[in-house]
Amino acid sequence: DLRGKYFLSAEVTGNGSAQTTAHTLKRVPTVTTVIVSDTPNSAVVITEGTHTSTGFVVTATTGTKYKIYGEV
């Protein structure tokens, strides 16, 4: 039973394009949260893509630093 299994990524720096960050959940997460830790300006855009059983897909404004929390 994987219920309650979670993963928190290392800090990622956005580049304005979709980026895949690996996780160890072994399933597509049912809950995800992007946590912004730093941004070079006040206009930040975060867009979540279609997450997979091996990675989170996130597009973030260039220079924005964030972590991704996910759970199944």
Side-chain angles (χ1 to χ4, degrees), residues 33-68:
T33 303
V34 178
I35 305 159
V36 175
S37 55
D38 191 26
T39 182
N41 57 53
S42 60
V44 175
V45 176
I46 302 285
T47 305
E48 292 188 55
T50 302
H51 306 302
T52 69
S53 61
T54 58
F56 301 111
V57 180
V58 174
T59 302
T61 304
T62 299
T64 299
K65 295 180 187 264
Y66 61 92
K67 293 182 179 183
I68 310 161

